[in-house]
Amino acid sequence: MTKPSIDFYFDLISPFAYIGSTQIEALAARHGRTVTWKPVLLGVTVLKIMGMKPLPQYPLKGPYLAHDMARLAKIWGVPLHPHSVQGHNSLNAMRAFVWLDARDPDAAKAFARAIFRRLWVDGLDMTPVEACVEEAQRLGLDAAALADGIASQEAREGLRVGVERAIANGVFGAPFVIADGEPFFGCDHFWMLEQWLRDGAWMAPPA
Amino acid sequence: MTKPSIDFYFDLISPFAYIGSTQIEALAARHGRTVTWKPVLLGVTVLKIMGMKPLPQYPLKGPYLAHDMARLAKIWGVPLHPHSVQGHNSLNAMRAFVWLDARDPDAAKAFARAIFRRLWVDGLDMTPVEACVEEAQRLGLDAAALADGIASQEAREGLRVGVERAIANGVFGAPFVIADGEPFFGCDHFWMLEQWLRDGAWMAPPA
């Protein structure tokens, strides 16, 4: 019997989601699991619902997170370069993901990976539709259709509903994994996720 | 040559510091290290400097942290029971720790462990001086001297200066470990700390 897929929640704006995205498929595969990528928007969960600032803006925690992301990338061998893009957001790219995901989840994952690399390896902005189109073209996807998709009511609604579902499932940050109902926040918890997938349920999922 | 001690920053108010405190000595010992316990006050770092609320009060994150602390305790075999103490603070207990630490660091660690257990195993308040006195008596320490110590200028100043130093070292939460200049926040990072102690520096410490 096939084991259930695990859910990987990400926002393309999050460097830790990028780092996590490079590890999660292999981690899941080691335990006979596949991964379903699902959207969350930190601008909704962190800023609106939790009423926090973007975490990098906090004194003490901001510098720590910058150091932590660099060393995590080094430990796991993930290319990550500081970039100078400012004022960017992931809304178009996340809509593009949702629109692609409804048609071809593998293409949607490839697109998400390309956007992550665009910012953290190539230092290029992801904000405008043109950025999404460029990455789609490079992947051999129908870029014109994707541009229409990003502007579609389907993508807007799909992302809105997806983020609502994420919140209903208790997701507040990224990366955030839910496996068999059990929540794991952050790359920091991947060791615990791995233990969960290996040893089975050491604790009943939250009610 | 003896390897340098690692610094374990804690606040007696923090359940994750309690859980971490039960693991850190053995973790360090596995790599030939000793542990120096150092004070931090979340009321200063989290509330005043970072301007956050106590983390358990945040929507989404609060329930996650409660679940995370229970499962971490289960995974590591740490006794942890929900308690109904409210409005408590760690100021007297932390002053007691600082005062004891200046005289006998091992007694200070034993006292800190007793206070952690008092709240998370026995469900009793740590706030009043009497609570500190009671735990000191049980440990066979000079309880009357400790009561005077808590009220002393030395303890007040010692805690104030200790917390200032913690902040100067980038400490914002608890538990927080600094090993060879490298910072590790949270029990979630103990796997990375262990890797650091085992494999040596995979990255230069932050400037």
Side-chain angles (χ1 to χ4, degrees):
Chain A
M1 205 177 78
T2 313
K3 290 181 186 168
S5 176
I6 67 175
D7 292 335
F8 172 76
Y9 290 89
F10 70 101
D11 183 340
L12 287 162
I13 205 74
S14 160
F16 286 101
Y18 161 54
I19 295 170
S21 76
T22 65
Q23 308 297 309
I24 193 65
E25 296 281 348
L27 193 164
R30 283 197 287 279
H31 305 282
R33 303 287 192 119
T34 54
V35 185
T36 305
W37 290 32
K38 295 190 170 180
V40 65
L41 289 174
L42 303 186
V44 176
T45 56
V46 175
L47 305 193
K48 287 192 188 159
I49 295 186
M50 297 168 72
M52 287 180 170
K53 295 186 287 192
L55 298 186
Q57 291 179 16
Y58 282 99
L60 298 173
K61 197 175 179 83
Y64 176 81
L65 289 178
H67 179 71
D68 194 40
M69 111 185 32
R71 72 180 165 184
L72 197 55
K74 186 153 183 177
I75 293 172
W76 287 347
V78 178
L80 180 90
H81 308 300
H83 65 78
S84 53
V85 179
Q86 298 222 338
H88 54 305
N89 73 67
S90 61
L91 204 56
N92 282 322
M94 290 301 288
R95 284 180 181 152
F97 170 82
V98 165
W99 188 86
L100 282 168
D101 189 50
R103 284 152 184 81
D104 181 348
D106 285 336
K109 287 186 190 181
F111 173 80
R113 286 193 194 96
I115 293 287
F116 275 137
R117 279 194 308 265
R118 180 180 179 88
L119 183 61
W120 291 105
V121 179
D122 302 329
L124 298 173
D125 195 2
M126 74 176 76
T127 310
V129 173
E130 293 69 36
C132 299
V133 164
E134 203 174 295
E135 296 303 330
Q137 279 169 338
R138 243 182 236 139
L139 292 166
L141 301 173
D142 183 340
L146 182 69
D148 290 343
I150 291 170
S152 70
Q153 186 63 15
E154 179 201 334
R156 280 168 195 270
E157 269 299 291
L159 181 57
R160 195 185 59 74
V161 169
V163 172
E164 269 180 16
R165 282 194 193 132
I167 293 165
N169 287 327
V171 175
F172 54 88
F176 199 108
V177 174
I178 298 184
D180 318 321
E182 187 73 11
F184 301 90
F185 169 53
C187 295
D188 314 332
H189 271 74
F190 277 14
W191 67 272
M192 198 190 271
L193 168 65
E194 184 119 36
Q195 206 167 315
W196 174 273
L197 296 177
R198 190 188 63 214
D199 302 337
W202 21 251
M203 170 168 273
Chain B
M1 206 178 75
T2 313
K3 291 181 185 167
S5 177
I6 67 174
D7 292 335
F8 173 75
Y9 290 89
F10 70 101
D11 183 339
L12 288 162
I13 204 73
S14 159
F16 286 102
Y18 161 52
I19 297 170
S21 75
T22 66
Q23 309 296 309
I24 192 65
E25 296 281 346
L27 192 164
R30 284 196 287 279
H31 305 282
R33 302 287 190 119
T34 54
V35 184
T36 305
W37 291 32
K38 295 192 170 178
V40 64
L41 289 174
L42 303 186
V44 176
T45 55
V46 175
L47 306 192
K48 287 192 189 159
I49 294 186
M50 297 168 71
M52 288 182 167
K53 295 186 288 190
L55 298 185
Q57 292 178 15
Y58 282 99
L60 298 173
K61 194 174 183 81
Y64 175 81
L65 289 178
H67 180 71
D68 194 39
M69 113 186 30
R71 71 180 167 186
L72 197 54
K74 188 155 181 174
I75 293 172
W76 287 347
V78 178
L80 180 91
H81 308 301
H83 65 77
S84 53
V85 179
Q86 298 221 336
H88 54 304
N89 74 67
S90 62
L91 203 55
N92 283 323
M94 291 301 287
R95 285 181 181 153
F97 169 83
V98 165
W99 188 85
L100 282 168
D101 190 50
R103 285 153 183 81
D104 181 348
D106 285 335
K109 287 186 189 181
F111 173 79
R113 286 194 193 97
I115 293 287
F116 275 137
R117 279 195 308 266
R118 180 180 177 89
L119 182 63
W120 290 105
V121 178
D122 301 329
L124 297 174
D125 195 1
M126 76 176 74
T127 310
V129 173
E130 293 70 36
C132 299
V133 165
E134 202 175 296
E135 297 302 330
Q137 279 170 335
R138 242 182 237 137
L139 292 166
L141 302 173
D142 184 340
L146 183 69
D148 289 344
I150 292 171
S152 69
Q153 187 62 15
E154 179 202 334
R156 282 167 194 271
E157 268 301 291
L159 182 56
R160 195 186 60 72
V161 169
V163 172
E164 268 179 18
R165 282 194 193 132
I167 293 164
N169 286 327
V171 175
F172 54 88
F176 199 108
V177 175
I178 299 184
D180 317 320
E182 187 73 11
F184 301 90
F185 169 52
C187 295
D188 315 334
H189 270 75
F190 277 13
W191 68 271
M192 196 189 272
L193 169 64
E194 183 119 36
Q195 207 167 313
W196 174 272
L197 296 177
R198 191 189 61 216
D199 303 337
W202 19 252
M203 169 169 274

PDB file of all heavy atoms in Angstrom, chain A residues 28-56:
ATOM      1  N   ALA A  28      11.882  12.855   1.916  1.00  0.00           N
ATOM      2  CA  ALA A  28      10.641  12.070   1.828  1.00  0.00           C
ATOM      3  C   ALA A  28      10.891  10.726   1.138  1.00  0.00           C
ATOM      4  O   ALA A  28      10.417   9.683   1.602  1.00  0.00           O
ATOM      5  CB  ALA A  28       9.575  12.873   1.083  1.00  0.00           C
ATOM      6  N   ALA A  29      11.649  10.764   0.058  1.00  0.00           N
ATOM      7  CA  ALA A  29      11.905   9.545  -0.721  1.00  0.00           C
ATOM      8  C   ALA A  29      12.634   8.486   0.102  1.00  0.00           C
ATOM      9  O   ALA A  29      12.400   7.282  -0.086  1.00  0.00           O
ATOM     10  CB  ALA A  29      12.705   9.892  -1.985  1.00  0.00           C
ATOM     11  N   ARG A  30      13.513   8.936   1.017  1.00  0.00           N
ATOM     12  CA  ARG A  30      14.207   7.968   1.888  1.00  0.00           C
ATOM     13  C   ARG A  30      13.230   7.141   2.709  1.00  0.00           C
ATOM     14  O   ARG A  30      13.580   6.070   3.207  1.00  0.00           O
ATOM     15  CB  ARG A  30      15.150   8.716   2.861  1.00  0.00           C
ATOM     16  CG  ARG A  30      16.429   9.207   2.241  1.00  0.00           C
ATOM     17  CD  ARG A  30      17.480   9.565   3.303  1.00  0.00           C
ATOM     18  NE  ARG A  30      17.219  10.795   4.036  1.00  0.00           N
ATOM     19  CZ  ARG A  30      17.501  12.028   3.591  1.00  0.00           C
ATOM     20  NH1 ARG A  30      18.038  12.207   2.402  1.00  0.00           N
ATOM     21  NH2 ARG A  30      17.239  13.088   4.343  1.00  0.00           N
ATOM     22  N   HIS A  31      11.997   7.629   2.847  1.00  0.00           N
ATOM     23  CA  HIS A  31      11.011   6.922   3.661  1.00  0.00           C
ATOM     24  C   HIS A  31       9.781   6.537   2.850  1.00  0.00           C
ATOM     25  O   HIS A  31       8.689   6.363   3.394  1.00  0.00           O
ATOM     26  CB  HIS A  31      10.636   7.786   4.867  1.00  0.00           C
ATOM     27  CG  HIS A  31      11.849   8.181   5.659  1.00  0.00           C
ATOM     28  ND1 HIS A  31      12.480   7.329   6.536  1.00  0.00           N
ATOM     29  CD2 HIS A  31      12.607   9.313   5.638  1.00  0.00           C
ATOM     30  CE1 HIS A  31      13.544   7.936   7.047  1.00  0.00           C
ATOM     31  NE2 HIS A  31      13.643   9.124   6.521  1.00  0.00           N
ATOM     32  N   GLY A  32       9.997   6.421   1.520  1.00  0.00           N
ATOM     33  CA  GLY A  32       8.914   5.957   0.655  1.00  0.00           C
ATOM     34  C   GLY A  32       7.762   6.938   0.521  1.00  0.00           C
ATOM     35  O   GLY A  32       6.634   6.523   0.255  1.00  0.00           O
ATOM     36  N   ARG A  33       8.043   8.217   0.701  1.00  0.00           N
ATOM     37  CA  ARG A  33       6.985   9.230   0.612  1.00  0.00           C
ATOM     38  C   ARG A  33       7.199  10.125  -0.593  1.00  0.00           C
ATOM     39  O   ARG A  33       8.338  10.368  -1.003  1.00  0.00           O
ATOM     40  CB  ARG A  33       6.978  10.123   1.866  1.00  0.00           C
ATOM     41  CG  ARG A  33       6.822   9.370   3.167  1.00  0.00           C
ATOM     42  CD  ARG A  33       5.414   8.836   3.369  1.00  0.00           C
ATOM     43  NE  ARG A  33       5.267   8.379   4.733  1.00  0.00           N
ATOM     44  CZ  ARG A  33       4.375   8.888   5.604  1.00  0.00           C
ATOM     45  NH1 ARG A  33       3.539   9.815   5.228  1.00  0.00           N
ATOM     46  NH2 ARG A  33       4.320   8.418   6.834  1.00  0.00           N
ATOM     47  N   THR A  34       6.114  10.640  -1.115  1.00  0.00           N
ATOM     48  CA  THR A  34       6.188  11.703  -2.099  1.00  0.00           C
ATOM     49  C   THR A  34       5.798  13.013  -1.420  1.00  0.00           C
ATOM     50  O   THR A  34       5.328  13.018  -0.285  1.00  0.00           O
ATOM     51  CB  THR A  34       5.245  11.434  -3.286  1.00  0.00           C
ATOM     52  OG1 THR A  34       3.931  11.219  -2.774  1.00  0.00           O
ATOM     53  CG2 THR A  34       5.701  10.206  -4.071  1.00  0.00           C
ATOM     54  N   VAL A  35       6.022  14.117  -2.141  1.00  0.00           N
ATOM     55  CA  VAL A  35       5.794  15.441  -1.556  1.00  0.00           C
ATOM     56  C   VAL A  35       4.798  16.220  -2.386  1.00  0.00           C
ATOM     57  O   VAL A  35       4.933  16.312  -3.603  1.00  0.00           O
ATOM     58  CB  VAL A  35       7.119  16.249  -1.480  1.00  0.00           C
ATOM     59  CG1 VAL A  35       6.890  17.574  -0.770  1.00  0.00           C
ATOM     60  CG2 VAL A  35       8.199  15.440  -0.777  1.00  0.00           C
ATOM     61  N   THR A  36       3.790  16.774  -1.718  1.00  0.00           N
ATOM     62  CA  THR A  36       2.860  17.690  -2.366  1.00  0.00           C
ATOM     63  C   THR A  36       3.230  19.103  -1.932  1.00  0.00           C
ATOM     64  O   THR A  36       3.262  19.397  -0.734  1.00  0.00           O
ATOM     65  CB  THR A  36       1.404  17.383  -1.940  1.00  0.00           C
ATOM     66  OG1 THR A  36       1.128  16.007  -2.211  1.00  0.00           O
ATOM     67  CG2 THR A  36       0.423  18.259  -2.704  1.00  0.00           C
ATOM     68  N   TRP A  37       3.544  19.947  -2.909  1.00  0.00           N
ATOM     69  CA  TRP A  37       3.929  21.328  -2.579  1.00  0.00           C
ATOM     70  C   TRP A  37       2.665  22.183  -2.491  1.00  0.00           C
ATOM     71  O   TRP A  37       1.809  22.125  -3.375  1.00  0.00           O
ATOM     72  CB  TRP A  37       4.870  21.895  -3.656  1.00  0.00           C
ATOM     73  CG  TRP A  37       6.239  21.275  -3.653  1.00  0.00           C
ATOM     74  CD1 TRP A  37       6.573  19.998  -3.321  1.00  0.00           C
ATOM     75  CD2 TRP A  37       7.463  21.926  -4.004  1.00  0.00           C
ATOM     76  NE1 TRP A  37       7.923  19.807  -3.442  1.00  0.00           N
ATOM     77  CE2 TRP A  37       8.500  20.966  -3.860  1.00  0.00           C
ATOM     78  CE3 TRP A  37       7.790  23.223  -4.430  1.00  0.00           C
ATOM     79  CZ2 TRP A  37       9.836  21.270  -4.136  1.00  0.00           C
ATOM     80  CZ3 TRP A  37       9.130  23.528  -4.710  1.00  0.00           C
ATOM     81  CH2 TRP A  37      10.137  22.558  -4.557  1.00  0.00           C
ATOM     82  N   LYS A  38       2.549  22.957  -1.423  1.00  0.00           N
ATOM     83  CA  LYS A  38       1.351  23.762  -1.200  1.00  0.00           C
ATOM     84  C   LYS A  38       1.723  25.196  -0.825  1.00  0.00           C
ATOM     85  O   LYS A  38       2.708  25.428  -0.119  1.00  0.00           O
ATOM     86  CB  LYS A  38       0.508  23.145  -0.088  1.00  0.00           C
ATOM     87  CG  LYS A  38      -0.040  21.762  -0.460  1.00  0.00           C
ATOM     88  CD  LYS A  38      -1.072  21.273   0.540  1.00  0.00           C
ATOM     89  CE  LYS A  38      -1.765  20.025  -0.009  1.00  0.00           C
ATOM     90  NZ  LYS A  38      -2.779  19.491   0.926  1.00  0.00           N
ATOM     91  N   PRO A  39       0.906  26.148  -1.273  1.00  0.00           N
ATOM     92  CA  PRO A  39       1.269  27.556  -1.067  1.00  0.00           C
ATOM     93  C   PRO A  39       0.885  28.098   0.304  1.00  0.00           C
ATOM     94  O   PRO A  39      -0.111  27.687   0.897  1.00  0.00           O
ATOM     95  CB  PRO A  39       0.443  28.273  -2.138  1.00  0.00           C
ATOM     96  CG  PRO A  39      -0.778  27.418  -2.292  1.00  0.00           C
ATOM     97  CD  PRO A  39      -0.311  25.986  -2.075  1.00  0.00           C
ATOM     98  N   VAL A  40       1.706  29.004   0.796  1.00  0.00           N
ATOM     99  CA  VAL A  40       1.341  29.856   1.928  1.00  0.00           C
ATOM    100  C   VAL A  40       1.915  31.227   1.614  1.00  0.00           C
ATOM    101  O   VAL A  40       2.857  31.336   0.809  1.00  0.00           O
ATOM    102  CB  VAL A  40       1.890  29.279   3.265  1.00  0.00           C
ATOM    103  CG1 VAL A  40       3.410  29.274   3.322  1.00  0.00           C
ATOM    104  CG2 VAL A  40       1.313  30.035   4.444  1.00  0.00           C
ATOM    105  N   LEU A  41       1.345  32.277   2.168  1.00  0.00           N
ATOM    106  CA  LEU A  41       1.870  33.625   1.956  1.00  0.00           C
ATOM    107  C   LEU A  41       2.235  34.224   3.310  1.00  0.00           C
ATOM    108  O   LEU A  41       1.364  34.454   4.155  1.00  0.00           O
ATOM    109  CB  LEU A  41       0.830  34.523   1.255  1.00  0.00           C
ATOM    110  CG  LEU A  41       0.547  34.232  -0.227  1.00  0.00           C
ATOM    111  CD1 LEU A  41      -0.606  35.118  -0.721  1.00  0.00           C
ATOM    112  CD2 LEU A  41       1.789  34.469  -1.095  1.00  0.00           C
ATOM    113  N   LEU A  42       3.522  34.467   3.520  1.00  0.00           N
ATOM    114  CA  LEU A  42       3.967  34.998   4.805  1.00  0.00           C
ATOM    115  C   LEU A  42       3.408  36.399   5.055  1.00  0.00           C
ATOM    116  O   LEU A  42       3.224  36.806   6.205  1.00  0.00           O
ATOM    117  CB  LEU A  42       5.497  35.017   4.872  1.00  0.00           C
ATOM    118  CG  LEU A  42       6.165  33.649   4.652  1.00  0.00           C
ATOM    119  CD1 LEU A  42       7.658  33.749   4.890  1.00  0.00           C
ATOM    120  CD2 LEU A  42       5.546  32.574   5.538  1.00  0.00           C
ATOM    121  N   GLY A  43       3.118  37.117   3.962  1.00  0.00           N
ATOM    122  CA  GLY A  43       2.491  38.437   4.112  1.00  0.00           C
ATOM    123  C   GLY A  43       1.117  38.339   4.756  1.00  0.00           C
ATOM    124  O   GLY A  43       0.643  39.279   5.391  1.00  0.00           O
ATOM    125  N   VAL A  44       0.473  37.187   4.623  1.00  0.00           N
ATOM    126  CA  VAL A  44      -0.830  36.975   5.271  1.00  0.00           C
ATOM    127  C   VAL A  44      -0.640  36.402   6.671  1.00  0.00           C
ATOM    128  O   VAL A  44      -1.168  36.931   7.645  1.00  0.00           O
ATOM    129  CB  VAL A  44      -1.722  36.031   4.427  1.00  0.00           C
ATOM    130  CG1 VAL A  44      -3.032  35.743   5.163  1.00  0.00           C
ATOM    131  CG2 VAL A  44      -1.995  36.642   3.063  1.00  0.00           C
ATOM    132  N   THR A  45       0.141  35.319   6.784  1.00  0.00           N
ATOM    133  CA  THR A  45       0.232  34.642   8.086  1.00  0.00           C
ATOM    134  C   THR A  45       1.064  35.448   9.091  1.00  0.00           C
ATOM    135  O   THR A  45       0.604  35.713  10.199  1.00  0.00           O
ATOM    136  CB  THR A  45       0.851  33.242   7.931  1.00  0.00           C
ATOM    137  OG1 THR A  45       2.118  33.346   7.300  1.00  0.00           O
ATOM    138  CG2 THR A  45      -0.057  32.345   7.114  1.00  0.00           C
ATOM    139  N   VAL A  46       2.267  35.817   8.695  1.00  0.00           N
ATOM    140  CA  VAL A  46       3.165  36.494   9.644  1.00  0.00           C
ATOM    141  C   VAL A  46       2.714  37.939   9.874  1.00  0.00           C
ATOM    142  O   VAL A  46       2.559  38.381  11.012  1.00  0.00           O
ATOM    143  CB  VAL A  46       4.630  36.463   9.146  1.00  0.00           C
ATOM    144  CG1 VAL A  46       5.535  37.274  10.073  1.00  0.00           C
ATOM    145  CG2 VAL A  46       5.122  35.026   9.058  1.00  0.00           C
ATOM    146  N   LEU A  47       2.501  38.668   8.783  1.00  0.00           N
ATOM    147  CA  LEU A  47       2.225  40.096   8.932  1.00  0.00           C
ATOM    148  C   LEU A  47       0.788  40.346   9.391  1.00  0.00           C
ATOM    149  O   LEU A  47       0.557  41.053  10.371  1.00  0.00           O
ATOM    150  CB  LEU A  47       2.499  40.839   7.622  1.00  0.00           C
ATOM    151  CG  LEU A  47       3.902  40.661   7.012  1.00  0.00           C
ATOM    152  CD1 LEU A  47       4.154  41.680   5.912  1.00  0.00           C
ATOM    153  CD2 LEU A  47       4.995  40.789   8.071  1.00  0.00           C
ATOM    154  N   LYS A  48      -0.205  39.745   8.690  1.00  0.00           N
ATOM    155  CA  LYS A  48      -1.595  40.091   9.024  1.00  0.00           C
ATOM    156  C   LYS A  48      -2.118  39.314  10.222  1.00  0.00           C
ATOM    157  O   LYS A  48      -2.636  39.890  11.168  1.00  0.00           O
ATOM    158  CB  LYS A  48      -2.501  39.843   7.803  1.00  0.00           C
ATOM    159  CG  LYS A  48      -2.291  40.897   6.722  1.00  0.00           C
ATOM    160  CD  LYS A  48      -3.362  40.858   5.651  1.00  0.00           C
ATOM    161  CE  LYS A  48      -2.987  41.791   4.496  1.00  0.00           C
ATOM    162  NZ  LYS A  48      -3.662  41.462   3.248  1.00  0.00           N
ATOM    163  N   ILE A  49      -2.017  37.984  10.187  1.00  0.00           N
ATOM    164  CA  ILE A  49      -2.650  37.189  11.250  1.00  0.00           C
ATOM    165  C   ILE A  49      -1.853  37.268  12.549  1.00  0.00           C
ATOM    166  O   ILE A  49      -2.414  37.459  13.625  1.00  0.00           O
ATOM    167  CB  ILE A  49      -2.813  35.720  10.803  1.00  0.00           C
ATOM    168  CG1 ILE A  49      -3.797  35.670   9.627  1.00  0.00           C
ATOM    169  CG2 ILE A  49      -3.287  34.849  11.969  1.00  0.00           C
ATOM    170  CD1 ILE A  49      -4.163  34.299   9.188  1.00  0.00           C
ATOM    171  N   MET A  50      -0.534  37.108  12.463  1.00  0.00           N
ATOM    172  CA  MET A  50       0.261  37.131  13.688  1.00  0.00           C
ATOM    173  C   MET A  50       0.641  38.559  14.095  1.00  0.00           C
ATOM    174  O   MET A  50       1.011  38.802  15.239  1.00  0.00           O
ATOM    175  CB  MET A  50       1.503  36.256  13.514  1.00  0.00           C
ATOM    176  CG  MET A  50       1.126  34.783  13.288  1.00  0.00           C
ATOM    177  SD  MET A  50       2.532  33.780  12.742  1.00  0.00           S
ATOM    178  CE  MET A  50       3.478  33.713  14.257  1.00  0.00           C
ATOM    179  N   GLY A  51       0.537  39.487  13.166  1.00  0.00           N
ATOM    180  CA  GLY A  51       0.836  40.881  13.501  1.00  0.00           C
ATOM    181  C   GLY A  51       2.306  41.145  13.768  1.00  0.00           C
ATOM    182  O   GLY A  51       2.667  42.076  14.497  1.00  0.00           O
ATOM    183  N   MET A  52       3.168  40.308  13.189  1.00  0.00           N
ATOM    184  CA  MET A  52       4.609  40.523  13.333  1.00  0.00           C
ATOM    185  C   MET A  52       5.134  41.352  12.167  1.00  0.00           C
ATOM    186  O   MET A  52       4.462  41.527  11.153  1.00  0.00           O
ATOM    187  CB  MET A  52       5.344  39.180  13.333  1.00  0.00           C
ATOM    188  CG  MET A  52       5.176  38.377  14.606  1.00  0.00           C
ATOM    189  SD  MET A  52       6.103  36.803  14.470  1.00  0.00           S
ATOM    190  CE  MET A  52       5.982  36.210  16.163  1.00  0.00           C
ATOM    191  N   LYS A  53       6.376  41.825  12.330  1.00  0.00           N
ATOM    192  CA  LYS A  53       7.112  42.382  11.208  1.00  0.00           C
ATOM    193  C   LYS A  53       7.758  41.220  10.455  1.00  0.00           C
ATOM    194  O   LYS A  53       7.835  40.106  10.981  1.00  0.00           O
ATOM    195  CB  LYS A  53       8.227  43.305  11.708  1.00  0.00           C
ATOM    196  CG  LYS A  53       7.763  44.535  12.430  1.00  0.00           C
ATOM    197  CD  LYS A  53       8.923  45.450  12.763  1.00  0.00           C
ATOM    198  CE  LYS A  53       9.773  44.898  13.893  1.00  0.00           C
ATOM    199  NZ  LYS A  53      10.739  45.876  14.429  1.00  0.00           N
ATOM    200  N   PRO A  54       8.263  41.464   9.233  1.00  0.00           N
ATOM    201  CA  PRO A  54       9.106  40.426   8.619  1.00  0.00           C
ATOM    202  C   PRO A  54      10.240  40.102   9.584  1.00  0.00           C
ATOM    203  O   PRO A  54      10.893  41.015  10.106  1.00  0.00           O
ATOM    204  CB  PRO A  54       9.624  41.107   7.348  1.00  0.00           C
ATOM    205  CG  PRO A  54       8.617  42.174   7.038  1.00  0.00           C
ATOM    206  CD  PRO A  54       8.108  42.646   8.369  1.00  0.00           C
ATOM    207  N   LEU A  55      10.476  38.799   9.830  1.00  0.00           N
ATOM    208  CA  LEU A  55      11.425  38.400  10.876  1.00  0.00           C
ATOM    209  C   LEU A  55      12.827  38.985  10.701  1.00  0.00           C
ATOM    210  O   LEU A  55      13.476  39.320  11.698  1.00  0.00           O
ATOM    211  CB  LEU A  55      11.483  36.873  10.972  1.00  0.00           C
ATOM    212  CG  LEU A  55      10.149  36.198  11.361  1.00  0.00           C
ATOM    213  CD1 LEU A  55      10.344  34.705  11.566  1.00  0.00           C
ATOM    214  CD2 LEU A  55       9.547  36.826  12.613  1.00  0.00           C
ATOM    215  N   PRO A  56      13.330  39.137   9.454  1.00  0.00           N
ATOM    216  CA  PRO A  56      14.685  39.708   9.307  1.00  0.00           C
ATOM    217  C   PRO A  56      14.794  41.129   9.839  1.00  0.00           C
ATOM    218  O   PRO A  56      15.897  41.624  10.052  1.00  0.00           O
ATOM    219  CB  PRO A  56      14.922  39.672   7.786  1.00  0.00           C
ATOM    220  CG  PRO A  56      13.991  38.631   7.270  1.00  0.00           C
ATOM    221  CD  PRO A  56      12.781  38.695   8.166  1.00  0.00           C
TER     222      PRO A  56
END
